[in-house]
Every structure is written in C-alpha cells, then in structure tokens.
Amino acid sequence: DALARYMWMNGYNVLHPMGWDSFGLPAENAAIQNNTPPREWTLGNIAKMKAQMKRLGFAYDWSREVTTCLPDYYHWNQWFFLKFYEKGLAYRKKSKVNWCPQCATVLANEQVLPNGCCWRHEDTLVEQRELEQWFLRITKYADELLRDLEKLDGWPEKVRTMQRNWIGRSEGALVDFKLDYAEDRSGFGPAGGTISVFTTRIDTIFGATSVQLAPQHPIVADLAASNPDLRAKVDQLIVEQRKAKEGGDIGEIEKHGVSTGRYAINPFNGEKIPVWVANYILMDYGTGAIMSVPAHDDRDYEFAKKYNLEIRLVVLPISNDPEETVTEPRLPFIAHEGMLINSGRFSGLECADAIKKMSAYAEEKGFGKPTVTYRLKDWGISRQRYWGTPIPMLYCEKDGIVPVPEKDLPVILPANVDITLAGGSPLGRVPEFVNVTCPKCGGPARRETDTMDTFVDSSWYFYRYTDAHNDHAPFDSKTVEYWFPIDQYIGGVEHAILHLIYSRFWTKFMRDLGLVTDDEPVERLFTQGMVIKDGAKMSKSLGNVVSPDEMVARYGADAARLYSLFAAPPDRDLDWQDSGIEGIQRFLGRVYRFVTRNAASAARAQAESPSATPLSPQARQIQRKLHQTIKRVSDDFQGRWHFNTCISAIMELVNALYAYEESAMAESQSTGSSSAALLAEVQHDLVLLLAPFAPYLAHELWEMLGEKGNLLKAAWPKYDAALAKEEELEIPVQINGKLRSRVTVPAGASESFVLERALADEKVRSSIAGKQIVKKIFVPGKLVNIVVK
RNA sequence: GCCGGGAUGGCGAAAUUGGCAGACGCAGCGGACUUAAAAUCCGCAGGUCCGAAAGGACUGUGGGGGUUCGAUUCCCCCUCCCGGCACCA
C-alpha cells in the first residue's frame, strides 16, 4: 500500500486491487465446524476482513473487487474449463490419486508434503486411491514453463530454482527389455512381456547387470499373481517405502530387494539379466523401472554389493595425462567424463557422444528412443468436496461425456447442501443438481459432482481485476493489454511453486487462446517474509495472532502500518514485538506535536513573501537534512524497498527538528521570515514523506497546514542535490588503518589540503612521531589513511 | 547429499560501490517537569581494562585462514540456524 501510494504521488496510474480467494477446503471445514453454510460463513468473513483492511487505510480500488466463490467469477472458471476441454487439455482419467482421509478428497501432487502427508493435515498420511479424475495437461507446457524461467529476471533466483526443480526435466532414453519368456506369454497378465526402462546413462547399458522394478510396477503384479511368496515380499517392500516416505527420508531408505526369479534381455547385447523388485525404485518417476549399472551408479553399486550382483566396468575415466590410463577407477565411477569399454561397437566412444549414438541406435532398431521425462505431472483438479467451482460436465448414457454448453454457464453451486465428509462428493446427494437432460440427445444425463481445486480460482484472478464486472467474457483483452503484464506482484514464498506455476501455465494457455499477448503474467515478483511472534510463524492455527482490530484499537492504524514496515525489511521475516509498536506510536506523537505547534507560523510564513535574508547555519542544516531525507526515502522506494531505513531517516529528520527548535529557543533567536518559510517547507515535505506510510496522520496534518484535496494527488517532494550537499565534512584520519582522529574540512577539499590538515592534527602527530611515513591514502570525501613504519 | 537465505550490542536492526561498525527504534540507566505518577522533554549507553574525572588503551560483526593501506562487505576452509529439493534412475 505504501508503494502504491508513492507511485500515485509520482503521477502513475496504479491498479491496486484486492479480492477474495474464497473457495476451498479450509473455508468449507471452518464452516462445518461453525455449523454455518459455507457461503454465509465466507461472505461474513469477507465483510469482516474488508472492514479491517479499510480501517488499516489500504487504498484499494474496491470497484475492482473480485470474489472467487461468487458465480460472476466462477462462471469463467467453468468457461476456461470448457476451453481446456475443447483444446484437448482437459481430460478424464482413472488414476491413482492422492487421497486425504481427513479432507475426504483428492489432493494435487503439489498439495502433498514431502513426508507424504496432507498440506492441511500435517500428520495425516495421504493414501492412494483409484478414481476417475479430471486433469489439466500442464505437462504440455512443461518445456516452456522451464525455458521461460530464464526470462523472469525480475523474479528471485530462489523461486526460479524451486520451479526448475519442480518441473524436473531430465533428458534420457527409454529402452525396452523383453522378459525371457516374452515369446510364450501364456499365463501372464495385461502388462505383457516388456519392461520399459528410463535411463539418463544409456552409455552404460553394457554394464547393466539387473533390471529393478518399483514394487507397484504392473509387471510385478503379474509375476506375483501366481507366486504368493513373492507377493508377500513385495508387499513388505511397499510397506518399507511407505514408511520411509512417511518419515520424510525416502532418500535414506535402507535398500531392500527381492529377485523375481525371471530374466530380461538387454537389447544391446542379448544378455539375460535378472529382474528384481526394490524398495528404492519409485513408481511415480520415469517408468518405475530401471536398468541397474552397479559400476556407474552409487545406488546400484550399493544394491549390488548387498545382494552380490555382478559389477561390470564399462566406462574408464579420461585422464588429463594422455600417457596414463586408469584401468581400475574407484567404484562406482559416476562421472560423465569417460570413455566406453566392453561395449561392443560403441567401445571407444566418449560418454556424451555414446549417449547420442546409442539412443539413436535403439530408436533405429525399434527397442528404445531418446526421451525427456518430467517430475511435473498433469494437474488433477477434481475435488470431492462441496465448496468449489462445479465442473461443467455431464455424463449421458448415450453420448458419454458431454460439456455443458457455454450458454448454460454458470453452473450454479446449489445452496442448502448437506455437507458431510462421508460418502463422496456432497453434490452427488442433490438430485436436482445431478439429474439433467443431455443437451445433445435430450435424454437423461448426470452432472459431474466434483468441484475444481481452488488453485484454479487463483490462476487467473489478476486478469479479472482489469475488468471485474464483465459478464460476457472473463475480461476484455484490450483492457488487459493496457495493464499487463503485472509490474509488481507481492506474495509469500509459500506460493513459489503451486500458485505461481499454475498462474504461468494458465497465462500461456490464455495466450494460445488469443485472449492475452503475454507469455508471462508477472514481470517482477517480490517474496515477503512471514510475521513471527514468540518464535513462531504468526498463524491462526497456532493462535499467536495479533488481530488487526486490536492493533488499530490500541495503537492506531498508522502505527500498525509503520511498525510492520519499520521492524524489518519486507523480504525478511518480521519479529512482532508489542513494545516496538509503542515506540512508533511515540514517534507519530512527536510528528503531530511538532507540526501542530508550528502550523500557525508556517501558514503565516507561506502567506508572506519570502524574504531574502540568508538562513542561519542551524536553519541551513535543517534544510540540508530535509533534502537528504527526501533523497533517501525516494531512493528506497525505487530500489530496495527497505522501508525500515526510510522510516529511520524520517525519524532522524524529526529528531533534528526538535533539536533545532530547542537551539532556536535557547539562543532566543527570533525566527526570521526566511527561517519561518523554511519551516513551512519542512512541514509540508515531512507530511508528504509520511503520507505513504501513515495516511491518516498525514491527511490530518495536511489539512492543519491549510492544504486541501487528496494527498494521493499531491506531488511527491523533489529533492535538490545542491541543498542536500554538505558544506563541511568530518574526515576520519587513520594511522595504519586504525582510526586516530578526525579533521573538519570544506566539502570538496583537495588532497593536499586535507592531508596537510591531517598531518597538523595533534593526535595524528603524536601517533606518528618517530615513525616513517610509507604511504598516504586519500579517499575524497571519505577518509585519510597514513601508513607508517 | 544438492540448491537458496542467514548468523552484527540485552532485543528488532543499520552500514546501498572495500573506507568512521552498531544509524533508527525497543528495553535499560540518569536528569528535567510533577505533591506524585503517567505522558512529555533532555542526556548516557558494544565489551574489557586504566583513570576521581576529562580522557585513554585494547578488543569486537558465528569460527579459522587469505587478499588489501584498510574487510560486516571480496576469496578459501569450517560450525550452526531457516527454507526448498532429494535413492528422480
């Protein structure tokens, strides 16, 4: 808000909106707990929070307010969903999904914590369930999402790295290993007789001495179907893997495996190698199957040592010294800088070259191909909960999946629904919602009863701010063109992956629809720190919250605003201390008292014509301080946003003004007309400098100074470099780098002048007495250092 | 293990390009005002040591080393804290 106010005062047209991301599980759960319908509960909270925001003096443009849980907004979620479906980017798939038993709904991968627990229930383990789900094909944009991170140089490196890791692009190859009984498939299930393996090191394939499958791999199920003993052992591996995920240290799982007793054929050399099942192979990465090359991978090495599998060297290090060849490198030898041996026709190639040639060869022969895998998965958006956007799809016995026609949007979320956690989607229990006629055949159809993930709501809301009341489109593209991309987005790091990757995806999709011209929605991103109180993040769940109402009641809105900016720079966490805000309150009192007791004389001085009398040295000093302060505050708004030091600077100015008043009184100087005019200027500029931070006080004082009109339209004070310049400087004098004295010289004094003064200084003379001057260092305006021996 | 960020008085912090470490504020101490208190105003204040005091000496930005006339700032090594990722094949 301070920044927006500053920009306004500098003549910019600022879009400074606020809205309510108000669908979702937390709201629904709270509503259930409070035995209130979610809509009522949510709108009630919005009203409360809006009042709090207004009380805090946020200059939001409420005419642009967006509320995602109201039909005029979620209408367009549904519209976008139809567009995704039209373009083949929304699809329905039966799949294993993350299921939180507490939320009683599916979670996106992004909503499962690294320890396998729910993001909302940090001690509830997420289960896997097979369900029909709607997915958005975010993976279509995986490469672009990754590539365009390079363009986002206004984003913190940290966020870009997190997104890069999340997308997790990995170049490699798929290679098919046929099971040795592939010719005779009798008795084997639908998975067939081929194991497709993903590897980034196809160059080491001649060193593969086993194939390792994830315990959940479909072929394992086939093999174990007729083998209860194997089934039991595999189940044990699954349990171990679950436990490790639960403990959050899958990386440190003790490797276990079991041989299936079967063999697979390495297509490169026709060799039969054993097929194992291992607890360290993850079904949700790559193909859930690997070729194990113990000599060139440390995990495979560890496993092979444990189970006594063959370790075969196929890459030798390339030595810097051509005379020397290392024939027995320390195992496992993982580096890519090597040369192939024991690899048939590929022996002698360097690794990088071999990777290209061997994957091309596999493709040519039809048993593999170069491929890229991603950690990023398609976005599952179905939620079996009530409080969300209804998915605008119908199921007709005759026509199958039928989208709701655009003209029938929005599909309104029915009110008065019995929400319980049991029995699947609550909407499924509302017959008048579920039972519809198929728009294609006129026969009976059922509505989709799942709702959309809330992250859908937040993926494009910022575009809606430009045109919040449009009822025939999500927004007008021309209007968007004027405002977008967003110059400055501000939010917590907790949005680094989820929200900010979905938003980027949505923007790229809207671009491909021709709705927007942006590749990226946000030009500059600023990640704020959190508010810490009593050593913990301030949060509703921990109960260490200072409510804004309480704050405003006790200290006033301005003090609360100023303190939250003063306590730490905004990119750092902020340690909330009640005693700190009291100090700010005192400061505001000092400002108020100063301006009020001088307001009358200032007004008078303004009315009179300024006299030509030169300013007293003290008054000149105040003038200088004022201009220095204007510079410091302005610079920070344009640069680092370290508002804590801006506020310090204003405090210093006020302290100087108090000292000036006192000295003027002590010397019983009658304030001449030029001094009075200066005072008037100082008061005006002081009020303007405070306006972005403390708008209430600033407006009050602004009127007291006889000014009229909105402070947001008042011009930000200009600083005058000539007036800000010091006339005299105190230059520190160091001897051998240690401070020994200071000399006062006119600003811009020459080297010889300053050195002469320094060497004439009493303390300096005694310090260097009897020593030899080796070197004299003069940094203009900064210091003098005399090196002696 | 990998990738970010961080460590400065009793506390929140500042030092923007290698140039006076601790601005500003909190808490503290002293003084003024007051019958008194609150509020307000003024002043002191990194640590250790010397000195009655004025003042002075040494030391000090997580630890160790280096570059430099000079390092909170640059380089190397290490410790701890916070966040993210992690048998990703």
Side-chain angles (χ1 to χ4, degrees), chain A residues 326-345:
Chain A
V326 184
T327 52
E328 284 180 33
R330 217 173 96 196
L331 293 179
F333 174 65
I334 299 158
H336 281 63
E337 294 72 37
M339 191 191 77
L340 272 61
I341 56 163
N342 303 325
S343 298
R345 59 198 291 185

Side-chain angles (χ1 to χ4, degrees), chain A residues 276-297:
Chain A
W276 285 64
V277 183
N279 63 359
Y280 71 97
I281 308 300
L282 307 171
M283 193 57 221
D284 54 13
Y285 186 78
T287 60
I290 65 152
M291 61 175 201
S292 176
V293 184
H296 304 291
D297 182 284

